[in-house]
Amino acid sequence: MKELEPFIRDIPDFPKPGIVFKDITPLLKDPGAFKRTMEILKDKAEALKPDLILSIESRGFLFGGALAYMIDKGQIVARKPGKLPYKADQVSYDLEYGSNTLELHVDAIGKDQRVLIVDDLLATGGTAAACGQLVRKQGGLVAGYSFVVELAFIGGRKKLEPDPVSS
Ligand code: AMP
């Protein structure tokens, strides 16, 4: 989606040397670019017919919340450890830089509910795949994965397919 590329800023060596961080704040700040992004996410989401949007902390919240509102579905949140107030399922995984753990309230997903997993960026796919594991653990179905940015050269989508992946 060439029209949105100018709104993604490359920040070399953040948060560690060798990482080119994709800064989405120019896209968030521009109402036209954000609207266009959300319309694309909406079109893709509607085709996947999810019952719930799962937003991943923290930049996934910026898109998942707006998307849930636009398609009139509920939102559930995968959060960093210790943030959720109720009982939670937990999953740990490796990141492009470091490792991480995410939690999801144990009653977030009902049996066979279709869940669309949303985040700002797909790199190795570890974060999104971990959320897929949480969805399945709770008896849900992964409707698909939706990202704003994909670092295609890393090939993270291989970790997520054959479930639908879009960016
Ligand atoms: P991964 O699990 O490797 O697919 O990493 C995806 C998660 O890490 C997302 O939540 C992103 O926000 C973040 N992330 C990883 N690499 C980058 C990057 N180069 N620029 C911005 N965010 C990144």
Side-chain angles (χ1 to χ4, degrees), residues 129-149:
C131 289
Q133 276 180 43
L134 285 171
V135 169
R136 293 185 174 103
K137 180 173 184 184
Q138 293 195 1
L141 306 169
V142 176
Y145 298 88
S146 208
F147 306 91
V148 178
V149 181

Side-chain angles (χ1 to χ4, degrees), residues 3 24 31 36 39 44 47 57-58 67 84 86 91 98 104 112-113 115 129-130 154 156 158 163 166:
E3 64 186 291
I24 54 157
R36 182 78 187 111
E39 281 167 354
K44 292 181 187 292
E57 185 166 1
S58 55
L67 181 61
L84 289 172
Y86 185 57
V91 67
L104 185 66
D112 291 342
Q113 279 197 301
V115 181
I154 299 177
K158 285 196 207 83
D163 291 320
S166 66

Side-chain angles (χ1 to χ4, degrees), residues 44-45 48-56 67-68 71 73-78 104-105 107-119 128 130-146 160 163-165:
K44 292 181 187 292
L48 296 169
K49 304 199 182 320
D51 300 305
L52 291 167
I53 301 296
L54 187 158
S55 303
I56 305 177
L67 181 61
I71 66 167
K73 298 297 174 189
Q75 181 187 196
I76 58 175
V77 289
L104 185 66
H105 273 155
D107 60 351
I109 302 168
K111 186 165 168 32
D112 291 342
Q113 279 197 301
R114 292 175 58 77
V115 181
L116 176 61
I117 295 166
V118 174
D119 204 357
C131 289
Q133 276 180 43
L134 285 171
V135 169
R136 293 185 174 103
K137 180 173 184 184
Q138 293 195 1
L141 306 169
V142 176
Y145 298 88
S146 208
L160 311 176
D163 291 320
V165 180

Side-chain angles (χ1 to χ4, degrees), residues 64-130:
L67 181 61
Y69 176 79
M70 285 172 93
I71 66 167
D72 204 17
K73 298 297 174 189
Q75 181 187 196
I76 58 175
V77 289
R79 298 213 60 186
K80 292 167 186 162
K83 299 280 186 184
L84 289 172
Y86 185 57
K87 282 177 285 180
D89 288 317
Q90 197 179 66
V91 67
S92 295
Y93 58 95
D94 292 327
L95 272 181
E96 190 190 8
Y97 41 87
S99 70
N100 203 4
T101 299
L102 284 172
E103 295 185 342
L104 185 66
H105 273 155
V106 290
D107 60 351
I109 302 168
K111 186 165 168 32
D112 291 342
Q113 279 197 301
R114 292 175 58 77
V115 181
L116 176 61
I117 295 166
V118 174
D119 204 357
D120 65 325
L121 183 138
L122 171 62
T124 66
T127 307

